[in-house]
Amino acid sequence: MKVGENLADILEGYVERIVYRNEENGYTVLSLQRKEEEITCVGSFTFITEGEFIRAVGSYTEHPVYGEQFLVESYELQEQQDIFSVERYLGSGAIKGIGTALAARIVKKFKLDTLRIIEEEPERLAEIKGISERMAKEIYQQFEEKRDMRNAMIFLQQYNISGNLAVKIYQEYGPKMYEILKENPYRLAEDIAGVGFKTADEIAKKVGIGSDSDYRTKAGLLYVLLQASNDGHVYLPYHELVAKSKELLFIDEEAINRQLVSLSIEKKVIIREENEAKYIYSSVFYYMELNAARMLCDLNIRYQYMADYVQKKVAKIEEQFKIELDDQQKIAVSEAASNGVLVLTGGPGTGKTTTINAIIKFFETEGLEILLAAPTGRAAKRMTETTGYEARTIHRLLELTRMSEGQESKFSFERNETNPLETDVLIIDEMSMVDITLMNALLKAVTVGTRLILVGDVNQLPSVGPGNVLKDIIASHNFNVVKLSKIFRQAADSDIIVNAHKINAGEKIRLDNKSKDFFLLKRDSSNVITAVMINLIKNKLPGYVKATSFDIQVLTPMRKGELGVEKLNQVLQQALNPPAPDKKEKEYHQNIYREGDKVMQIKNNYQLTWEIKSNYGITTQSGTGVFNGDAGIIREINLFSEHLTVEFDDGRQVEYSFSQLEELELAYAVTIHKSQGSEYPAVILPILDGPKLLFNRNLLYTAVTRAKNCVTIVGSEDMLQFMIDNKSEQNRYSGLNTRIRELRK
């Protein structure tokens, strides 16, 4: 049969040999024995071993390197058809303890009745030389497990459940899977990562569960709260929850109220009535905020330090390190010494780094242990460079670990309430990026008696994840907050810093292009803007800021549109990393990934493993977890094993299977939200037109403060001024402030 002869072909045969298998995603290259010929098949096989007899549906393709292959779209496991395939299956290693010789003896005795004997009369296996009664029992148990998994796969195929998801379902529920799917498939949305309400709803329709099912209403309500958390909310006001639930479920308010009460009894939601209004929390986030509030209050103890003692020490630090602190900075050192919790905030150029360094020096002279951390790899790296002390990401500080096999979606932190961090002082930078989930995990690992210093710019965009942690802590008025406001002389020479403060204050900025580091190039066409940006990146800016083209970052407010991330990345990829004979590439979901491409991780993945290697290729560090916003370069694409390798900014190397490419996107241009915690030698901002709610002061301020040496805005001066004037921000529902105040009453 030739390539392209049929649009869909069917092959039947047994698996002669598994050439390659990715255990993470099931991608497999195998050799299928079909009558007198062997055919190379590729596809996702979630549960298959050598010797299995399969019926595969797919099409023939021509691989540029490996020649003709059969691309499998779906397959079914079949009973072995002859003695040879039964013997091949048993001798494949599928059943531990049975090799090729023993398999041959078993089949020689029982012939086509072999599989029935193992299943129904396993004690008879002891009739074979070399098999004891104990071994016969172990063979039977393994065979049963394999059969159960096979039956589960076949059962789930009828509901169009993908192989990867089918394995997750079986691993989560085991034999109870059948009962759960028929009675309440909505449990999948709660219990299994990667299964949302809509997937569960489709399965429910197929098993005949009605649209007015109580299970469906409850699952829908939890889904609405989950979607709200994806938008940064910890809770929803009652009226918003009802409106969104009606739109999703097509049910009335009475049904919603009935199931809200039921969910409350089941402790899955918390219903709070405050100031004659009603708020609905997912229990998980409610208790995260409550626990974070309690732990912050517990840490906030007073230490006895004489003011004169601190002042003398600060004076010595100034003299020794040739720095001069202003009054607010000195107060910050004193407050750090005297309080269990301190918030240090301020805009760019106000001396936060100098203050952190002074605080570190003070505690060092006191003989205290100090740990530094930040939410992202880039922020931690910058903190290390500016302080001279090692800073780690919060995830690495807490020692993120993957849990046991069979629990793919589970992870844990080794550092927690039973194994806390061993330090006297903990300083966290870029606190505006920390969401309630990470804050809760961090506080669990901090013991009372540890000083906690939280540093951040409260005017930055809020965290990607749910919560409003830094703002809520400040707004509670229960912790010492030092706000730095003086712009130091060296910083005042930078128009980036001066203009950032003006933007934050809603003031006009000078745009005459007489600046050394802040420019506006007026253009009124998206095509022209794109061409100007390419010229800046390739020719003008690298020499000006002494950096490479890849170090220069385009930041845009939008994902869609001619100047959105998606379109710009295609254009910039073509300009900065065009196709070449020596560069392998992979097309996935209409995106092209090419060796040398600049990419970014767009979701937290706690299972991905990483390595840091020496110049000689020796692994020096390893761990798990790659996080939303981590950026790097594609170093290698392996078309045979179907994976690519990304080296991130902090040196971590991560291997992605092609099926995981949905977690990566090109990063020649990124949204301003995704740039949080990062600093670039030069930033280019295309600003022309877009959603008025999105184009606001907060967003512009965040973008400008990402640049170290140069900001170039390309586009409309009117829209730039609109952003400065527009101080509206998306309202974010969070309750940490309220929880802290309640505990302090």
Side-chain angles (χ1 to χ4, degrees):
M1 190 173 295
K2 300 299 181 185
V3 177
E5 187 173 311
N6 289 316
L7 293 176
D9 295 305
I10 297 173
L11 292 182
E12 287 189 348
Y14 68 86
V15 179
E16 170 67 26
R17 183 166 52 94
I18 293 178
V19 179
Y20 169 81
R21 179 172 177 77
N22 186 318
E23 296 296 340
E24 288 282 331
N25 57 38
Y27 176 80
T28 306
V29 179
L30 59 82
S31 176
L32 191 74
Q33 186 70 35
R34 178 179 181 247
K35 296 179 182 177
E36 299 300 319
E37 61 178 337
E38 274 192 33
I39 299 169
T40 299
C41 296
V42 295
S44 182
F45 295 84
T46 53
F47 182 77
I48 200 163
T49 58
E50 291 177 354
E52 295 274 18
F53 196 89
I54 66 170
R55 182 176 190 270
V57 178
S59 58
Y60 286 89
T61 62
E62 187 72 30
H63 192 281
V65 177
Y66 304 108
E68 188 178 77
Q69 297 178 338
F70 189 76
L71 182 62
V72 177
E73 296 171 5
S74 63
Y75 74 99
E76 294 178 358
L77 297 170
Q78 309 285 311
E79 291 297 329
Q80 278 76 10
Q81 300 293 308
D82 52 48
I83 290 175
F84 183 71
S85 61
V86 171
E87 181 180 329
R88 186 75 181 82
Y89 172 70
L90 289 179
S92 67
I95 307 295
K96 290 179 182 177
I98 301 181
T100 53
L102 186 53
R105 292 204 299 273
I106 294 171
V107 173
K108 183 177 180 181
K109 180 169 180 63
F110 299 120
K111 300 185 172 53
L112 277 174
D113 211 23
T114 296
L115 299 182
R116 187 197 66 78
I117 292 290
I118 295 174
E119 186 175 347
E120 298 177 8
E121 303 176 74
E123 68 279 359
R124 289 190 58 191
L125 291 172
E127 298 173 16
I128 307 294
K129 184 179 178 180
I131 299 180
S132 64
E133 289 185 6
R134 179 181 174 183
M135 185 177 178
K137 184 177 180 180
E138 289 175 354
I139 291 171
Y140 165 73
Q141 288 173 340
Q142 287 188 62
F143 190 82
E144 283 292 286
E145 289 174 5
K146 298 282 184 183
R147 188 195 64 174
D148 288 347
M149 176 68 92
R150 181 190 290 111
N151 290 341
M153 297 297 103
I154 293 170
F155 174 79
L156 293 171
Q157 281 174 358
Q158 66 183 307
Y159 299 117
N160 294 326
I161 294 173
S162 70
N164 289 340
L165 180 54
V167 171
K168 286 184 180 181
I169 293 171
Y170 185 78
Q171 288 175 339
E172 181 73 28
Y173 300 126
K176 293 181 181 177
M177 174 195 79
Y178 304 97
E179 178 185 347
I180 289 168
L181 279 174
K182 289 178 178 177
E183 288 188 7
N184 179 19
Y186 295 100
R187 272 189 59 182
L188 273 63
E190 293 183 56
D191 298 339
I192 300 174
V195 180
F197 171 79
K198 292 181 179 178
T199 300
D201 205 28
E202 284 298 316
I203 296 171
K205 287 177 186 175
K206 287 171 183 170
V207 299
I209 293 177
S211 61
D212 59 349
S213 160
D214 290 350
Y215 290 134
R216 180 174 187 268
T217 304
K218 288 180 186 177
L221 290 169
L222 293 174
Y223 174 75
V224 169
L225 288 174
L226 176 64
Q227 290 300 103
S229 73
N230 292 337
D231 292 331
H233 304 302
V234 174
Y235 67 84
L236 279 179
Y238 170 78
H239 67 275
E240 284 196 32
L241 177 70
V242 169
K244 292 177 185 295
S245 299
K246 282 182 175 180
E247 185 179 343
L248 175 72
L249 301 170
F250 303 104
I251 56 175
D252 59 29
E253 189 169 346
E254 182 182 344
I256 291 170
N257 278 320
R258 189 167 60 250
Q259 297 312 322
L260 275 177
V261 171
S262 180
L263 286 169
S264 177
I265 293 169
E266 295 171 15
K267 300 189 182 335
K268 291 180 179 176
V269 303
I270 301 294
I271 302 173
R272 291 283 308 223
E273 295 194 29
E274 301 162 11
N275 303 322
E276 299 183 358
K278 190 155 64 172
Y279 308 107
I280 315 299
Y281 291 77
S282 165
S283 294
V284 172
F285 290 125
Y286 177 82
Y287 286 113
M288 278 185 183
E289 284 196 327
L290 184 60
N291 290 336
R294 177 185 55 78
M295 291 183 285
L296 281 167
C297 291
D298 288 347
L299 287 170
N300 195 30
I301 59 180
R302 188 78 181 170
Y303 296 89
Q304 296 303 315
Y305 268 92
M306 297 297 291
D308 287 348
Y309 176 79
V310 176
Q311 288 171 10
K312 287 177 182 177
K313 280 221 162 189
V314 169
K316 284 184 179 179
I317 290 168
E318 288 180 298
E319 182 181 354
Q320 182 180 354
F321 295 98
K322 294 180 173 53
I323 58 174
E324 185 177 341
L325 304 179
D326 74 358
D327 291 343
Q328 285 300 102
Q329 290 175 310
K330 291 175 182 177
I331 289 171
V333 178
S334 179
E335 294 293 340
S338 303
N339 293 280
V341 177
L342 171 68
V343 177
L344 177 65
T345 186
T350 56
K352 292 195 297 294
T353 298
T354 302
T355 308
I356 292 170
N357 284 330
I359 290 171
I360 290 171
K361 303 297 183 193
F362 177 87
F363 285 128
E364 269 192 329
T365 61
E366 294 292 291
L368 300 185
E369 291 289 328
I370 305 164
L371 288 176
L372 310 181
T376 66
R378 278 194 170 189
K381 184 179 179 182
R382 194 167 72 251
M383 197 179 188
T384 299
E385 291 168 350
T386 56
T387 64
Y389 293 83
E390 182 193 6
R392 286 172 277 178
T393 64
I394 297 173
H395 289 91
R396 289 178 72 179
L397 181 77
L398 298 179
E399 298 175 20
L400 176 76
T401 58
R402 183 173 175 173
M403 291 176 69
S404 59
E405 289 297 320
Q407 293 179 302
E408 289 187 20
S409 63
K410 306 295 193 303
F411 69 95
S412 66
F413 292 113
E414 289 292 314
R415 295 292 182 173
N416 50 41
E417 54 268 61
T418 60
N419 182 29
L421 294 166
E422 297 167 7
T423 188
D424 301 303
V425 181
L426 177 59
I427 303 175
I428 307 294
D429 199 7
E430 294 286 357
M431 268 300 300
S432 62
M433 296 180 66
V434 176
D435 62 24
I436 190 60
T437 303
L438 190 55
M439 188 64 176
N440 182 59
L442 176 68
L443 290 172
K444 284 181 180 180
V446 182
T447 56
V448 174
T450 302
R451 288 175 174 83
L452 179 63
I453 299 166
L454 308 175
V455 185
D457 184 349
V458 77
N459 294 307
Q460 297 282 0
L461 291 168
S463 59
V464 174
N468 225 350
V469 174
L470 183 61
K471 281 188 178 180
D472 278 357
I473 291 172
I474 294 172
S476 72
H477 300 295
N478 274 288
F479 305 97
N480 287 73
V481 178
V482 176
K483 183 176 181 180
L484 304 177
S485 55
K486 177 184 175 181
I487 302 177
F488 285 86
R489 186 172 61 252
Q490 186 177 357
D493 291 337
S494 166
D495 285 323
I496 295 173
I497 290 172
V498 171
N499 287 342
H501 285 272
K502 285 184 176 181
I503 289 166
N504 192 45
E507 299 173 5
K508 280 185 174 291
I509 58 177
R510 194 179 70 182
L511 296 168
D512 56 9
N513 288 341
K514 293 180 180 179
S515 169
K516 293 179 181 179
D517 60 9
F518 200 103
F519 306 98
L520 170 66
L521 305 181
K522 297 179 186 179
R523 303 291 187 275
D524 57 9
S525 159
S526 58
N527 289 335
V528 174
I529 289 172
T530 301
V532 169
M533 289 195 298
I534 291 171
N535 186 37
L536 287 169
I537 296 168
K538 292 181 72 172
N539 305 315
K540 301 293 186 182
L541 286 176
Y544 189 71
V545 297
K546 296 179 174 56
T548 69
S549 293
F550 271 46
D551 293 325
I552 296 161
Q553 188 61 56
V554 174
L555 302 181
T556 176
M558 308 171 295
R559 290 199 59 82
K560 304 292 184 181
E562 290 299 307
L563 296 176
V565 163
E566 294 174 4
K567 181 70 173 180
L568 283 178
N569 270 319
Q570 292 178 359
V571 176
L572 294 173
Q573 180 193 43
Q574 185 66 27
L576 302 175
N577 189 34
D582 61 338
K583 292 180 183 177
K584 298 189 201 68
E585 59 183 52
K586 167 65 180 176
E587 185 173 354
Y588 183 83
H589 288 181
Q590 298 180 325
N591 293 316
I592 293 174
Y593 298 85
R594 185 175 295 128
E595 287 177 340
D597 271 338
K598 191 174 175 181
V599 291
M600 177 177 281
Q601 175 80 11
I602 58 171
K603 62 180 284 190
N604 289 344
N605 186 322
Y606 300 98
Q607 284 78 49
L608 279 174
T609 57
W610 54 262
E611 295 179 329
I612 295 177
K613 296 184 177 181
S614 70
N615 293 335
Y616 302 101
I618 299 170
T619 299
T620 57
Q621 294 182 54
S622 61
T624 60
V626 183
F627 305 102
N628 195 351
D630 287 352
I633 303 290
I634 297 176
R635 295 301 184 196
E636 180 188 7
I637 295 178
N638 190 319
L639 296 171
F640 177 72
S641 62
E642 301 261 332
H643 75 263
L644 58 77
T645 302
V646 176
E647 183 177 350
F648 287 97
D649 292 337
D650 55 5
R652 290 172 302 151
Q653 292 188 20
V654 179
E655 192 173 287
Y656 290 80
S657 66
F658 285 174
S659 65
Q660 293 172 311
L661 290 182
E662 61 190 17
E663 297 186 16
L664 285 176
E665 68 179 18
L666 295 175
Y668 298 99
V670 302
T671 62
I672 296 168
H673 276 87
K674 292 287 188 184
S675 72
Q676 285 176 271
S678 297
E679 184 179 70
Y680 310 99
V683 162
I684 301 175
L685 301 174
I687 295 174
L688 185 60
D689 197 8
K692 298 298 186 283
L693 184 63
L694 185 62
F695 279 57
N696 60 35
R697 181 186 302 173
N698 189 220
L699 197 75
L700 180 62
Y701 174 79
T702 300
V704 167
T705 54
R706 297 307 91 204
K708 185 177 181 180
N709 300 320
C710 182
V711 170
T712 306
I713 298 167
V714 188
S716 164
E717 183 176 1
D718 289 342
M719 180 54 74
L720 177 64
Q721 189 58 50
F722 174 85
M723 292 183 78
I724 296 171
D725 295 337
N726 181 18
K727 61 181 182 179
S728 65
E729 296 178 40
Q730 181 191 11
N731 190 23
R732 181 171 280 216
Y733 301 122
S734 64
L736 182 60
N737 177 5
T738 305
R739 302 289 85 78
I740 293 170
R741 288 172 177 268
E742 288 173 345
L743 289 171
R744 284 303 193 187
K745 283 182 181 178

